[in-house]
Amino acid sequence: MIRVVAPSRLHAGLFHVPGAGAPPAGERAFGGVGLMVDLPGVVVTARPAAGWQFEGALASRAQVFAMRFLRSVPEDRLRPQQVLIERAPAEHTGLGVGTQLGLAVAKVLAVAHGEAGLPSPDLAARVGRGERSAIGVHGFDHGGLLVDAGKLPGEPVSPLLARVDLPDEWRVVVFTPSVAGGWHGARERHAFSVAAGGAPDALRRLAHETLLPAARAGDSDAFGDALYEFNRKAGEPFAAAQGGVYASPEVEALVADLRSRGVRGVSQSSWGPTVFALAPDADTALSLVLRFRGRVPCFVARPSSGHRVERE
């Protein structure tokens, strides 16, 4: 049996939103900043079988990814597998589940078919991920804090611009408030189409001059303040669609509450409703969970160094 354990992706925002105006010739669209954590994660297993089988959470979605990947495997090399999704959180909650599931399925099949060395951008291209952000694509292999360069026209996956290992003692408290309606599909496309404004140069400076150096130095206060500021600025182009810089009033209220309690690093992840807060150590993270768990589902995650492959 082959098991792939993939991390979860938290996304603080994009540098440039094409709906807010096409970038100048030769400049990249999208890009942005995000990080990988170990929980809740995605776990996919495969074992030889008489015929193809797909079971577990999001099995039908996993089958679609598998069929895309297998198009490039010669028919005489195909080895039917029983593919089981052991763990996968709900999609469209800001955790990058679609990309991590697609890459985990592709990886488990790549290993089963003798292509274990394929890097995550190649896996992503074969299953159709990385249309906009590539944080989850590169994070699948490398983990850490990542800066996505952005895409040039015709580029299948945006290149990785920078990566930093977060300090081992840092923790991330992940909040998953119950909010009606998700920002995906037609709603997401509309939000991009009406996006306006934005400050891509300021966001890039914030990433390179503050976020990355603070992470390297282990300065959780400076990192937290920069993360919060980055996320707010990145939400400005979507204010017309969202009714503010956050995806919902509930998310905005949660962010404000956390900040009022002295938590400096607070960010909505992607379209939400997931919100994440940086804690400098495990004790601080636990105190946050104890304070909020009666109101908002939450848990403590660790920075991740990327996926792992296990064999039994």
Side-chain angles (χ1 to χ4, degrees), residues 253-270:
L254 176 58
V255 171
D257 193 0
L258 286 162
R259 289 279 294 181
S260 73
R261 296 172 186 269
V263 182
R264 300 169 81 156
V266 186
S267 173
Q268 174 179 288
S269 180
S270 188

Side-chain angles (χ1 to χ4, degrees), residues 85-258:
I85 296 78
E86 291 187 356
R87 184 170 77 231
E91 293 186 280
H92 311 304
T93 59
L95 293 169
V97 174
T99 293
Q100 297 310 300
L101 177 64
L103 294 175
V105 169
K107 185 68 177 186
V108 81
L109 294 178
V111 174
H113 289 86
E115 297 183 277
L118 284 176
S120 55
D122 289 352
L123 297 175
R126 287 172 68 167
V127 297
R129 301 305 298 178
E131 178 186 358
R132 296 189 183 100
S133 168
I135 294 294
V137 173
H138 297 294
F140 179 82
D141 269 356
H142 305 296
L145 172 71
L146 304 117
V147 178
D148 168 3
K151 294 179 72 171
L152 293 173
E155 216 167 20
V157 176
S158 172
L160 178 63
L161 190 58
R163 177 194 169 277
V164 175
D165 281 318
L166 295 176
D168 290 341
E169 66 271 18
W170 285 10
R171 297 292 183 268
V172 180
V173 181
V174 181
F175 299 84
T176 56
S178 299
V179 178
W183 290 87
H184 58 92
R187 192 180 187 194
E188 181 183 50
R189 290 192 293 273
H190 172 73
F192 271 97
S193 71
V194 300
D201 292 339
L203 287 169
R204 289 189 176 95
R205 284 196 301 272
L206 193 55
H208 290 284
E209 296 176 9
T210 307
L211 273 169
L212 290 170
R216 292 188 185 104
D219 187 338
S220 61
D221 287 346
F223 182 86
D225 286 339
L227 175 68
Y228 170 73
E229 183 180 355
F230 184 97
N231 183 238
R232 282 191 60 84
K233 286 184 179 296
E236 290 173 358
F238 301 107
Q242 297 180 146
V245 297
Y246 298 108
S248 70
E250 293 87 350
V251 167
E252 184 174 14
L254 176 58
V255 171
D257 193 0
L258 286 162

